[in-house]
Amino acid sequence: MSSSVCGSFCKSSGCKTKIHYDIASYVWTIEDFHFHEAKGERLVSPMFSSATNNQVKWYLSVLPNGKIDAKDFVSLYIYMSEHSSLEKGKEVFTEPTFYILNSKGKEEFHLAMSIKKFVHSTHWGFNEFIKKDAKFRNNMLSNKALTIRCEIKFSDMNDIAEECNQCDCKIGVPECNLSENLETLFKNQEFTDVVLSVNGKDFPAHKNILAARSPVFRAMFTHSTKEKELNRVDIEDISEQVVDEMLKYIYTGKCLNLKKFAEGLLAAANKYDLYQLKTMCVKTLFEGLSVENATSVLTLADMYGVKELKNKVIKFIVSNPTEVMGTEGWKNIRSNFELADEVCLAIAKQLKQHGKNDFIKFYLKKWNYFQTTV
C-alpha cells in the first residue's frame, strides 16, 4: 500500500495569479471654501504617496467653480507628479475613489473611477464631481470647509505572483488564532496569578499579559508594591463593566462594546497608559459627537489632555452654540471657569469674525456668562 507525503494537508491542483498593489490615502481640507469660489482660481493640494511606496507621488486639483461648461459643479482631478521616481513613460494602473467627509468625519458622498493608466504628469478626474446645490452646502461643508478624502489603489503590474496548489508541493497552513486563544485563556481563568477587584467583584488575570500590554501594570508588578505583594489590584474609580471591557481589549486587542463604554474606557485607557485603546475611544467619541453629549465629551477631552479632540469639540460647539446652550450639560460646564471661558471666547471670536458684534453680549448674557476680553 502506498502513502502520500502530503496526506490530509494536500490541496487540489490549481493556480492563483496575484498582483501586488499599494494604497495611497490622503485627506485634503479646504478652509473657507466660499472665498475660493469667489476668487475662482484652481487649487492644488500638497503631494502625497502611500506608506509603502514613495516612488509614486500624487496630488489633487480642484476647480471651485468647475469647468466653463460645468459652472454649477466642483471639478476634481488627480495627477501623477513629475517628481515621481519612475522611468519616463512607465505606466501605473490605478483605481481611485474620492469621498467628501461631513462635520463628523463620516463619508457623505463618494465617487469611484474605473481603472486608469497614469504616467508622469498625466491626470484624470471629473469635470462634474459634485453639484453645488443645497445638499452640498448644508451637509458637505463643515464650518464652510470642504474635506475631500482620496484613496488610490495602484500597481505598476511588475510584481505578479503565481501560487500553484499542486498536491506534491503545497501544505495548507491554518491562520493564526492567537487572539482567540488569549480570549479563551481570559474566559476560562486558567493559570491566573493576580486579581483585579472592583466593588467586590473579582477579575482573575495574568500579570505577564497585563505587564506586556500596559506600562502602568508593568511598573506595578516590577517594583515593591502592595499589588505585587498581595497579587491584587483594587480599582475604585472605574466601573465593573468598563474594567471587563478593558481586560477583553488587553487580551484580544478588540473592543466590541466601544461605543457603549467609550467615555469610561477613555478614563481607563488614560489611567493604565493603553495608548491604542485611548486613540480608539477618542475616534469613537468624535464620530458620535452630538448636541446632547458635546459638553461631556469636551470635559473628558480637557480632563485627559486630548487636545485634538478638545479642539474639534469646541469647533462643533461654536457651529451649534444655541443648541448646545439649551442642554443640561451646558449648565454643568459653566462651573469649570477656565473651560467655559475658552468655549465662550471661541464663540465670541466667531461672531466677531462674521461681523455679528451686536450678538456677542446677547449670547453671553443668555448663557449667564460675561466675557470682558472679547
Side-chain angles (χ1 to χ4, degrees):
M1 181 181 292
S2 62
S3 63
S4 169
V5 175
C6 294
S8 61
F9 295 104
C10 180
K11 294 182 178 181
S12 61
S13 63
C15 185
K16 291 181 181 178
T17 301
K18 290 186 177 181
I19 299 172
H20 173 77
Y21 60 85
D22 297 281
I23 296 179
S25 184
Y26 187 71
V27 177
W28 184 20
T29 299
I30 304 172
E31 299 283 355
D32 297 314
F33 185 75
H34 59 296
F35 280 106
H36 296 292
E37 285 184 285
K39 196 172 183 181
E41 294 182 352
R42 173 174 174 258
L43 303 174
V44 178
S45 78
M47 284 191 298
F48 60 94
S49 59
S50 78
T52 54
N53 185 343
N54 60 7
Q55 288 187 316
V56 184
K57 302 184 185 299
W58 311 91
Y59 65 89
L60 305 177
S61 173
V62 161
L63 294 176
N65 296 321
K67 286 279 191 179
I68 295 177
D69 55 348
K71 292 184 178 179
D72 293 331
F73 291 81
V74 176
S75 297
L76 174 65
Y77 308 96
I78 180 172
Y79 290 74
M80 182 196 287
S81 171
E82 61 182 3
H83 299 290
S84 298
S85 311
L86 293 175
E87 299 175 10
K88 293 291 185 180
K90 186 174 183 180
E91 295 179 335
V92 173
F93 292 79
T94 69
E95 190 175 18
T97 306
F98 301 93
Y99 306 86
I100 292 180
L101 307 183
N102 62 21
S103 60
K104 295 183 179 180
K106 295 183 178 180
E107 297 167 4
E108 191 73 35
F109 170 85
H110 79 274
L111 197 58
M113 293 175 61
S114 58
I115 294 177
K116 300 293 184 183
K117 290 191 294 185
F118 279 77
V119 295
H120 284 83
S121 303
T122 58
H123 71 278
W124 295 91
F126 303 96
N127 293 339
E128 298 181 355
F129 173 60
I130 183 73
K131 188 171 184 177
K132 297 189 293 184
D133 53 15
K135 182 178 179 181
F136 170 79
R137 301 199 181 276
N138 295 334
N139 298 349
M140 302 183 198
L141 293 183
S142 173
N143 198 23
K144 299 185 179 179
L146 176 63
T147 299
I148 300 170
R149 183 169 76 85
C150 173
E151 189 172 280
I152 312 167
K153 184 177 178 180
F154 65 96
S155 173
D156 59 10
M157 302 293 285
N158 285 335
D159 192 358
I160 300 178
E162 292 187 356
E163 295 183 356
C164 294
N165 299 325
Q166 301 295 336
C167 63
D168 59 347
C169 66
K170 297 295 285 186
I171 297 178
V173 179
E175 293 184 3
C176 175
N177 54 356
L178 177 61
S179 176
E180 289 80 3
N181 294 152
L182 291 178
E183 183 176 15
T184 300
L185 186 68
F186 172 64
K187 288 181 177 178
N188 293 346
Q189 301 178 4
E190 296 177 318
F191 316 115
T192 58
D193 54 3
V194 68
V195 168
L196 275 61
S197 180
V198 187
N199 299 325
K201 181 176 176 59
D202 290 344
F203 294 90
H206 305 80
K207 287 183 180 179
N208 53 356
I209 293 180
L210 298 181
R213 298 283 279 157
S214 162
V216 175
F217 282 124
R218 171 175 283 276
M220 188 183 295
F221 301 140
T222 301
H223 301 96
S224 298
T225 63
K226 177 182 69 174
E227 290 81 4
K228 179 182 179 182
E229 181 180 349
L230 299 178
N231 296 324
R232 182 183 184 85
V233 180
D234 291 311
I235 301 175
E236 299 177 351
D237 53 351
I238 305 175
S239 71
E240 298 172 24
Q241 297 94 329
V242 170
V243 170
D244 186 42
E245 291 296 325
M246 178 187 74
L247 285 171
K248 289 176 183 176
Y249 164 78
I250 287 176
Y251 277 79
T252 68
K254 302 173 185 177
C255 198
L256 301 180
N257 297 308
L258 186 57
K259 288 185 178 181
K260 184 177 180 180
F261 297 108
E263 294 190 8
L265 283 169
L266 177 60
N270 186 75
K271 180 176 181 178
Y272 293 108
D273 198 9
L274 301 167
Y275 178 75
Q276 185 192 35
L277 179 60
K278 184 175 181 178
T279 305
M280 291 163 61
C281 291
V282 168
K283 182 176 184 292
T284 298
L285 288 170
F286 179 68
E287 290 177 348
L289 191 62
S290 66
V291 168
E292 290 73 22
N293 68 9
T295 52
S296 64
V297 175
L298 177 62
T299 302
L300 285 172
D302 182 61
M303 182 184 303
Y304 299 120
V306 188
K307 187 175 180 180
E308 181 181 7
L309 178 61
K310 179 180 176 181
N311 291 339
K312 288 181 177 180
V313 179
I314 290 178
K315 188 175 181 180
F316 176 83
I317 295 175
V318 168
S319 300
N320 304 275
T322 305
E323 294 84 351
V324 175
M325 175 194 66
T327 64
E328 285 296 318
W330 178 258
K331 297 177 183 178
N332 298 329
I333 206 173
R334 288 203 312 249
S335 61
N336 185 336
F337 179 80
E338 291 185 1
L339 190 57
D341 181 80
E342 192 172 351
V343 174
C344 288
L345 186 57
I347 294 172
K349 286 183 177 179
Q350 179 77 357
L351 292 169
K352 190 173 184 179
Q353 181 180 349
H354 290 82
K356 298 180 180 180
N357 297 331
D358 294 339
F359 287 91
I360 295 176
K361 290 183 179 179
F362 167 76
Y363 273 107
L364 298 181
K365 183 177 180 181
K366 198 170 183 181
W367 285 317
N368 295 323
Y369 181 87
F370 297 90
Q371 172 65 49
T372 60
T373 59
V374 177

